[in-house]
Amino acid sequence: MELSYKRLSFIWLELWSAKQHATSFNTTRATYLSPRISALCYVWAFLTLAWIPVDVYLLGIQSHSLVTLRVILAFTVFIIGQKASKHGTLPAGRFAIAAFVVSVNCFYLFANSTLDYQHSVTSTTYFYTLLPFVHIVLLAIFPLTIRESLSFMAFTAAVQLHVDASSGALFKLEEMAIYWLQTVVGLMVIWAQTSKVHMMLRLYRHATLDPLTGVYNKRMLLTLAKRDFENTRFKSRPYSVLIMDLDRFKRVNDRYGHFAGDVVLKAFSDSVQQTLRKSDIFGRFGGEEFILFLPHCSTTNAKYVANRIMQNIQDLDIAVEGLASPINITTSIGIATSESFEDDFSTLLEKADAALYCAKDKGRNCALVFDAKAKESKDNCRRPWIEFAS
C-alpha cells in the first residue's frame, strides 16, 4: 500500500511539473513540441486571413479595423512559428506556446473592444465571444504538464472575464452555461495533455533506461555522453570517464542465483547514483559493467570520485530475500581524462577500458588512471603508465 502511494505521488509530481523530468526527456519533448507549434501557427495565420472576407461581408465598414487586427495577428503568429522551428529547446517551445496564447488573446480583446463589446446571441459578431473556447481546445495538441496547461488557460480565462465584464455579460445565465462548458472542456484538455506526457515518459523510459537498474541503457548513455563530450571539448575543459566492473560477479550468480545478481546490480547502481552531480551521466554499459561520465572533471577529482564510489560499495551489505547473511561486493574502476583536443570520444573510452583491464589484472577492488602521455597498450598494464588512484 505504501509503495503504491509513493508511486502515485511520483506520477503526480511528474505530471505536475517538468522539474521532475530528466534533461534528455525534456529534449525529447521539445523535439515533439517544436514542429507542432510551428504547424499550428502557420495554420492559424492562414485561417485568420481567410476569415477577412467573412468580416467584410457581414460587418461592412466596421470590418476595416478588424482586418488590420487580423493581418497583425497573422504576421505575429507566423513569426512565432518560424522562431519555434529554429529553436528546439523546451524553454523555447514553452515560450512559443505562451507567445501564441498571448497573441490570440490580445486579438480577442482588441477585436471585442473594436466591436464595442457586443455580446448578443443574435449578433453577427457573436462568434468573436467564443474565441476563448477555441483557444483552450487548441492546446490539446500539445504534451504539457498540469502546471504549464493551467498557466496558459488562466491567462485565457482572465482575458475572457475582462471582456465579459466590459460587455456587461459577466453574470448572465447563458454566460454561466458557457463557463461551465469551458471548465469541462478545459479539464478534458488537461487530461489529454498530461496523458500525452505520461505516454511519452513511459516510451522514453522503455527506450532509454535499463529496466533493471533504472539508469541509462547503453544506447542512450553513449548518445548523451558523446554530445556532452563534444560540447565540453569545444570549451577546452577536462572530461573524465570511469568504467566500473563488479568484481567476480559471475560467482554471485552461480552461488546465489540470478535473482540475487539482479539485487546486487540494483544496489550497486543506487549506491553510485548517490555520489553524482546533476551534470554527470551514468548508465549500464552491459552485464555488470557501468560507465560514469564526469564533465568538467580533472583527473584529480575523478580519482576522488572513484575512491568514494569504491568505499561506498565496500560498505554495502546487500540483503537478499532467502539468504541468511548479506552479500558484499567490490568494484574495479578504470579512469581516463581528456584535457585537450587530442582525444576523441572513442579514444577516451578505450583508455578507460585499458585502465579497467589493468585494475582487474592488479587484483581487483582498485581504481587505476590511464596516463594519456604514454603510448602503451593494455597488454602492458604492469608498466608505469598506469597510476593508482589515491
Side-chain angles (χ1 to χ4, degrees):
M1 182 65 179
E2 182 180 355
L3 183 60
S4 177
Y5 173 77
K6 289 182 178 180
R7 177 59 180 164
L8 289 175
S9 299
F10 180 71
I11 292 175
W12 165 255
L13 289 174
E14 281 189 326
L15 298 181
W16 171 254
S17 172
K19 291 182 179 180
Q20 305 296 323
H21 302 162
T23 302
S24 54
F25 174 75
N26 287 334
T27 302
T28 301
R29 186 158 72 102
T31 58
Y32 184 91
L33 280 174
S34 180
R36 283 158 180 79
I37 299 170
S38 298
L40 174 62
C41 288
Y42 296 149
V43 171
W44 197 255
F46 171 78
L47 294 177
T48 298
L49 296 175
W51 192 264
I52 290 178
V54 179
D55 277 342
V56 172
Y57 175 76
L58 293 177
L59 303 175
I61 193 171
Q62 195 179 13
S63 67
H64 292 174
S65 297
L66 292 176
V67 170
T68 302
L69 288 174
R70 285 188 174 276
V71 171
I72 293 174
L73 174 63
F75 177 76
T76 301
V77 296
F78 182 81
I79 295 300
I80 293 172
Q82 283 194 319
K83 295 294 184 181
S85 64
K86 292 179 180 178
H87 303 282
T89 64
L90 184 59
R94 285 188 292 212
F95 179 81
I97 297 176
F100 175 82
V101 171
V102 170
S103 298
V104 295
N105 276 286
C106 285
F107 170 79
Y108 164 71
L109 176 62
F110 292 133
N112 277 276
S113 176
T114 300
L115 296 169
D116 297 324
Y117 297 104
Q118 298 179 31
H119 205 279
S120 172
V121 175
T122 59
S123 172
T124 56
T125 62
Y126 183 68
F127 52 82
Y128 275 97
T129 66
L130 299 179
L131 284 177
F133 185 87
V134 179
H135 299 163
I136 290 176
V137 173
L138 286 175
L139 295 177
I141 68 175
F142 300 120
L144 300 176
T145 63
I146 298 174
R147 186 176 180 177
E148 294 166 348
S149 181
L150 287 177
S151 63
F152 297 141
M153 290 187 183
F155 184 82
T156 300
V159 174
Q160 181 182 10
L161 290 173
H162 173 76
V163 170
D164 291 344
S166 300
S167 64
L170 187 59
F171 298 107
K172 288 185 178 180
L173 182 61
E174 63 268 22
E175 200 64 25
M176 294 298 105
I178 291 177
Y179 293 157
W180 179 85
L181 180 60
Q182 283 182 293
T183 300
V184 173
V185 172
L187 291 175
M188 294 176 65
V189 168
I190 293 176
W191 188 4
Q193 292 168 332
T194 54
S195 294
K196 288 185 176 70
V197 173
H198 185 55
M199 177 188 68
M200 290 181 67
L201 281 166
R202 294 187 64 179
L203 292 175
Y204 165 81
R205 291 195 178 99
H206 180 74
T208 64
L209 301 184
D210 176 61
L212 174 62
T213 61
V215 299
Y216 289 126
N217 60 24
K218 179 179 178 179
R219 183 182 66 84
M220 192 62 180
L221 173 68
L222 296 182
T223 299
L224 292 176
K226 187 173 183 179
R227 182 171 57 197
D228 191 47
F229 172 77
E230 294 298 334
N231 291 335
T232 303
R233 188 169 69 155
F234 178 76
K235 298 176 182 177
S236 300
R237 294 180 178 177
Y239 198 96
S240 295
V241 57
L242 276 59
I243 298 185
M244 298 166 278
D245 191 275
L246 274 67
D247 296 330
R248 299 184 174 88
F249 180 73
K250 187 176 183 301
R251 294 185 182 181
V252 175
N253 282 331
D254 293 342
R255 183 174 180 180
Y256 303 110
H258 288 280
F259 172 76
D262 290 346
V263 173
V264 168
L265 290 173
K266 184 69 169 65
F268 175 84
S269 64
D270 290 344
S271 177
V272 174
Q273 289 182 85
Q274 294 175 9
T275 68
L276 304 185
R277 303 169 299 173
K278 189 175 182 179
S279 59
D280 297 339
I281 302 174
F282 175 61
R284 186 180 180 188
F285 191 69
E288 67 272 23
E289 193 166 273
F290 294 78
I291 302 182
L292 173 59
F293 293 95
L294 303 170
H296 308 161
C297 183
S298 64
T299 301
T300 300
N301 290 332
K303 292 179 188 179
Y304 173 77
V305 173
N307 286 327
R308 185 171 57 176
I309 289 174
M310 286 194 302
Q311 186 59 55
N312 290 343
I313 297 303
Q314 289 182 65
D315 293 341
L316 282 180
D317 289 323
I318 305 172
V320 179
E321 185 178 355
L323 297 183
S325 57
I327 298 176
N328 299 106
I329 58 172
T330 60
T331 183
S332 300
I333 302 178
I335 306 170
T337 302
S338 173
E339 298 182 349
S340 66
F341 283 92
E342 295 179 2
D343 292 331
D344 58 20
F345 185 71
S346 298
T347 302
L348 184 64
L349 285 177
E350 288 175 2
K351 290 181 177 180
D353 185 61
L356 173 64
Y357 179 93
C358 293
K360 286 189 164 295
D361 186 73
K362 289 286 185 181
R364 299 179 175 85
N365 191 26
C366 63
L368 299 182
V369 179
F370 183 92
D371 184 356
K373 296 180 181 179
K375 303 294 183 181
E376 304 289 345
S377 70
K378 66 184 180 181
D379 295 329
N380 298 320
C381 61
R382 296 186 184 279
R383 296 187 180 177
W385 64 275
I386 290 294
E387 172 192 355
F388 274 100
S390 58

